[in-house]
Amino acid sequence: MGFSSFYRLFQRNRPAINKDRRTNRRVMPAEGTTVLIVDDSKTVRRIMSSMLHQSGYQTLEAEDGARGIELARNHKPNLIFMDVMMPGMDGFQATRKLQTDVDTQGIPVIIISGNRQATIQTWVRKIGATGFMAKPFERGEFFRRLESAIY
């Protein structure tokens, strides 16, 4: 069996590729559009940062809520992706502080979590976050949420 036959064998079992990402036009960010990623997982921060850089966004990264608040106050990003479960100050506490601070309350925050329960999503609304995105997420969903929060 040659490589092309082997490749076709696996292609048949793959789910259909989501074609909407090829037909939907992506918004090109204005120069200097910055996204803050607050997550204790270095891998998650690296993946999100890489996707954002490829699409023309600048990024800031924080490994916990306290550092995320500090970066948000100092740099005023256009959007914040905030993980829930982190050491020290969790994402709910950090988001609540950001939403009550005059300098940062206008920055949209999208809460990200591996926990899809309705209680998490209820808290997202109560603390004033812009939205919720469950992990793992697809690239298309990531950019749809980003674009709806910023534009």
Side-chain angles (χ1 to χ4, degrees):
M1 181 182 323
F3 180 75
S4 61
S5 299
F6 185 73
Y7 181 76
R8 280 192 304 266
L9 177 69
F10 283 97
Q11 285 297 97
R12 273 189 243 132
N13 296 328
R14 290 182 66 190
I17 295 173
N18 183 356
K19 295 186 189 269
D20 78 330
R21 75 173 242 256
R22 292 192 179 110
T23 57
N24 289 345
R25 296 188 68 192
R26 184 154 297 146
V27 176
M28 293 305 298
E31 190 170 328
T33 303
T34 305
V35 177
L36 171 58
I37 304 161
V38 185
D39 197 306
D40 59 330
S41 168
K42 187 175 185 177
T43 303
V44 170
R45 291 193 316 265
R46 186 173 296 155
I47 289 168
M48 292 175 82
S49 183
S50 176
M51 289 191 304
L52 289 163
H53 284 192
Q54 290 171 0
S55 295
Y57 293 89
Q58 294 180 8
T59 61
L60 299 166
E61 298 179 23
E63 64 283 345
D64 60 44
R67 179 74 176 136
I69 290 170
E70 179 184 332
L71 288 172
R73 286 180 178 151
N74 292 336
H75 298 279
K76 308 291 187 291
N78 299 89
L79 175 67
I80 300 170
F81 281 102
M82 179 78 69
D83 187 26
V84 174
M85 300 300 294
M86 296 181 287
M89 183 183 296
D90 69 30
F92 289 140
Q93 294 167 324
T95 300
R96 187 177 299 271
K97 284 189 181 281
L98 289 167
Q99 295 302 314
T100 59
D101 185 327
V102 175
D103 292 330
T104 58
Q105 65 186 3
I107 302 171
V109 178
I110 296 176
I111 299 291
I112 55 176
S113 176
N115 185 344
R116 298 172 185 254
Q117 291 182 345
T119 55
I120 296 282
Q121 295 180 45
T122 300
W123 273 103
V124 167
R125 287 187 292 278
K126 282 186 176 185
I127 62 173
T130 305
F132 173 81
M133 186 171 69
K135 293 183 204 175
F137 50 83
E138 294 179 353
R139 184 181 182 95
E141 177 188 10
F142 176 76
F143 281 103
R144 278 191 300 277
R145 297 212 185 253
L146 176 143
E147 291 168 2
S148 71
I150 293 180
Y151 304 105

